[in-house]
Amino acid sequence: MSENLNKCDIGFVGLGVMGKNLVLNLADNGYKIAAFDLDLEKVSAVIEQDKNETNNGEPRVVGCSSYTELLAQLKAPHLIVLSVPAGDIVDQVCQNLIGAGIQRDDIVIDTGNSLWTDTVEREAKYKDDFLFFSSAVSGGEVGARFGPALMPSGSPYAWTRVKPIWSAIAAKVDAATGKPLERSQPGQVIENGDPCADYIGPAGAGHYVKMVHNGIEYADMQLICEAYHVLREGLQLGCDEIANIFEGWNQGVLDSYLMEISVEVLRHKDVETQTHLVDLILDKAGQKGTGLWTAVSSLEVGCPSPTISQAVYARSISSFKELRKHTSTVLSAPEFTPLCESEKELFIEQLHDALYCSKICTYAQGFQLMKLASVEHNWQLNFASIAKIWRAGCIIRAAFLQSITDAFEREQQLDNLLVDSFFSEQLSSYQQNWRKAVAQCTLMGIPIGAISASLSYYDSMRCATLPANLLQGQRDYFGAHTFERIDQPAGHKFHVEWTSADRPIIKL
Ligand code: 6PG
């Protein structure tokens, strides 16, 4: 179409850190971008950075000062990417695009951390105005610039138009080894490798999967923080010593981005005070809500995710700094004899294994949650594909994701990762050390909520019999809630007149 000559390929709204970097990533991959932000300084900033990165060559980004100008700069049918905060702002932008004349076959992609139910509603709400598509992004600012993990969902037709672009800008993994292919320079592109972007499912599915990614992210971070706490307070190790231990752990089964950055954070010294910065950071955790959404969803779906929920609680407990300062003077600590050098060495090894087993449990919970949600909403999620997407680019990227990919490739319908042959063998070999670490930390009085919640999860999941028989008796006693019997066919309900003299059993 001649009217498309010299026009931009993609419109971009929202030029914060993530947005600006996604624009430059798209530009590196040969797309011409029309960029808009209500804050025009941000528009100027991205144009300036584009100029610097291209040495004043052909501009790859065109600045726009209104939604109308943005649409006018674009090839038809229009493709517009939003990188704006989740919530009402997404709808405000959509309404502005409608006001500016967006067309029915135009596509708008929401890349924020939107609540998945909002995404479902939006697809329906805007269906007569344009195609609302979503694609959650993970990887922070560096990921956005040099290759994020992308979780697109919505109209399959929209995906056919988005796929080549998403495949180009996503992080890439070496197909043979499963290892990330590094890209770290402006202008650099990676043409081969498996892209960390694949169609997730109908509207909302991608944001649900990203939400669970973040729930796992919360748990992964908390597990590392608990290990740090134990080493710092229990073994009285310094930041550099802990960084060295983590660096060693990062060479093996715990190899992950979060472990890698923890080493850097622990080593970092405050320029002014020459103190390790981590010792100066206030121990009150922030949260934007995606971990909480995961925990809430796991309760709603009825899928146990105690490690993830515990990680959310840990952030909440941390926020009560003043109360904790007070309780620390009121509540007594256990008596504890410090470990000798050889005991310390053994304990560090046990802690490593505890972290690894807890990590397996975290992913088992996250994947089972996605599986149950997929059945409930008929999303038909492909778990091997999700694990593959998470191998690079995203915050939870880890060598371990290849083992999860392999597990789901062995058995697509796996109910829980714990029953996969590889993971069940790993848990079997490492569980003794896990138990010893939990016992030792408990004796020390160091809180390890996520590590011990994982162990209880493991023990509950491996018990053919749980004490819910007594619980059912209690429920029936006070509320006539009925129970089933193991010596009678499934589904038959019974009730006992617990307080009457002969206590008759009534079959209902
Ligand atoms: C990602 C991150 C990203 C964001 C978290 C932060 O995958 O790139 O998850 O989405 O950094 O949402 O979450 P909290 O502020 O709640 O820790």
Side-chain angles (χ1 to χ4, degrees):
M1 282 184 258
S2 60
E3 71 265 24
N4 277 340
L5 266 183
N6 296 323
K7 290 206 166 178
C8 296
D9 305 297
I10 299 163
F12 208 100
V13 179
L15 302 170
V17 186
M18 290 296 285
K20 184 174 81 167
N21 283 345
L22 282 171
V23 165
L24 295 166
N25 186 355
L26 287 160
D28 276 350
N29 281 284
Y31 297 101
K32 192 170 173 193
I33 313 296
F36 173 64
D37 193 292
L38 285 178
D39 179 351
L40 294 180
E41 278 183 19
K42 290 192 174 141
V43 179
S44 310
V46 73
I47 290 173
E48 197 51 38
Q49 192 162 340
D50 176 52
K51 262 192 200 159
N52 292 340
E53 290 189 0
T54 54
N55 293 322
N56 288 321
E58 183 70 22
R60 308 172 304 175
V61 184
V62 175
C64 303
S65 54
S66 69
Y67 288 98
T68 315
E69 193 187 343
L70 179 84
L71 291 184
Q73 289 287 357
L74 291 179
K75 287 177 186 164
H78 308 136
L79 184 73
I80 298 157
V81 181
L82 312 187
S83 180
V84 299
D88 294 345
I89 297 180
V90 176
D91 288 304
Q92 284 165 24
V93 173
C94 290
Q95 292 302 343
N96 283 322
L97 286 167
I98 293 169
I102 194 166
Q103 299 293 306
R104 213 173 163 168
D105 58 348
D106 292 346
I107 297 171
V108 174
I109 311 171
D110 173 22
T111 64
N113 267 337
S114 294
L115 182 60
W116 71 275
T117 45
D118 287 350
T119 303
V120 174
E121 280 170 24
R122 285 184 183 122
E123 193 194 57
K125 180 171 161 189
Y126 298 116
K127 73 176 190 330
D128 295 331
D129 303 297
F130 57 83
L131 270 167
F132 186 88
F133 193 71
S134 78
S135 175
V137 175
S138 178
E141 50 183 302
V142 176
R145 180 67 187 86
F146 298 115
L150 299 162
M151 287 149 263
S153 66
S155 143
Y157 158 71
W159 175 236
T160 60
R161 284 180 55 196
V162 176
K163 187 177 177 181
I165 306 168
W166 255 219
S167 303
I169 66 165
K172 306 274 180 352
V173 163
D174 183 299
T177 64
K179 294 215 160 61
L181 296 167
E182 294 300 332
R183 172 179 162 222
S184 56
Q185 298 303 319
Q188 188 185 7
V189 290
I190 293 184
E191 274 156 15
N192 49 5
D194 283 352
C196 293
D198 202 2
Y199 182 72
I200 300 285
H207 271 130
Y208 192 90
V209 167
K210 174 62 181 9
M211 176 193 81
V212 175
H213 164 284
N214 281 27
I216 294 173
E217 173 185 304
Y218 273 50
D220 244 349
M221 292 167 81
Q222 179 60 24
L223 290 169
I224 296 172
C225 291
E226 288 179 4
Y228 152 75
H229 196 187
V230 172
L231 295 170
R232 191 91 176 105
E233 300 297 325
L235 299 197
Q236 300 286 308
L237 298 185
C239 294
D240 287 326
E241 289 173 294
I242 302 173
N244 291 343
I245 292 171
F246 283 3
E247 198 162 49
W249 290 0
N250 200 36
Q251 307 305 312
V253 288
L254 291 177
D255 174 356
S256 70
Y257 169 73
L258 285 169
M259 190 57 91
E260 183 188 318
I261 62 163
S262 304
V263 172
E264 307 239 329
V265 173
L266 284 166
R267 290 237 161 92
H268 189 91
K269 286 219 174 128
D270 178 45
V271 182
E272 262 176 43
T273 60
Q274 278 308 301
T275 310
H276 283 99
L277 183 62
V278 74
D279 287 339
L280 300 176
I281 298 179
L282 180 67
D283 54 330
K284 273 172 89 169
Q287 52 182 315
K288 295 203 196 76
T290 44
L292 171 72
W293 295 345
T294 314
V296 169
S297 179
S298 77
L299 289 169
E300 285 171 350
V301 170
C303 177
S305 68
T307 314
I308 295 171
S309 307
Q310 184 55 42
V312 182
Y313 285 136
R315 290 198 189 193
S316 308
I317 292 180
S318 82
S319 71
F320 291 98
K321 178 72 177 173
E322 289 311 311
L323 178 61
R324 288 188 288 114
K325 268 162 102 175
H326 175 59
T327 51
S328 71
T329 64
V330 176
L331 303 172
S332 65
E335 277 172 25
F336 167 69
T337 322
L339 302 183
C340 68
E341 283 312 308
S342 61
E343 287 171 329
K344 275 188 188 175
E345 220 170 281
L346 193 62
F347 174 64
I348 291 170
E349 200 185 309
Q350 291 162 355
L351 193 61
H352 167 276
D353 295 354
L355 213 56
Y356 179 47
C357 293
S358 303
K359 193 174 163 104
I360 296 174
C361 289
T362 302
Y363 283 76
Q365 294 162 28
F367 274 89
Q368 191 186 6
L369 176 58
M370 290 191 287
K371 173 152 191 174
L372 295 181
S374 175
V375 171
E376 188 170 320
H377 304 293
N378 196 21
W379 286 333
Q380 309 200 4
L381 298 181
N382 179 331
F383 301 106
S385 159
I386 292 168
K388 274 185 172 171
I389 293 174
W390 290 351
R391 288 180 302 177
C394 68
I395 302 296
I396 61 170
R397 63 185 181 266
F400 176 76
L401 259 314
Q402 183 58 48
S403 307
I404 299 182
T405 304
D406 297 341
F408 282 107
E409 279 181 345
R410 271 192 291 279
E411 172 56 63
Q412 252 187 51
Q413 295 312 321
L414 199 59
D415 283 327
N416 188 299
L417 269 182
L418 300 189
V419 297
D420 169 70
S421 55
F422 172 77
F423 287 110
S424 59
E425 276 161 27
Q426 294 287 289
L427 289 161
S428 232
S429 347
Y430 292 105
Q431 65 158 316
Q432 248 355 76
N433 272 354
W434 186 12
R435 292 180 192 285
K436 285 179 187 159
V438 168
Q440 186 60 65
C441 296
T442 310
L443 291 173
M444 288 173 172
I446 312 278
I448 45 150
I451 295 175
S452 58
S454 308
L455 181 54
S456 286
Y457 172 78
Y458 173 74
D459 279 334
S460 302
M461 291 298 279
R462 63 169 195 83
C463 272
T465 306
L466 286 170
N469 49 345
L470 174 58
L471 191 119
Q472 285 295 81
Q474 292 164 336
R475 291 179 68 241
D476 191 60
Y477 190 107
F478 62 67
H481 294 301
T482 77
F483 53 86
E484 289 176 75
R485 292 175 59 125
I486 58 171
D487 56 354
Q488 298 291 327
H492 289 191
K493 304 277 184 191
F494 296 88
H495 166 61
V496 179
E497 293 293 320
W498 297 92
T499 49
S500 75
D502 53 350
R503 299 182 184 183
I505 293 190
I506 301 159
K507 182 167 182 279
L508 300 164

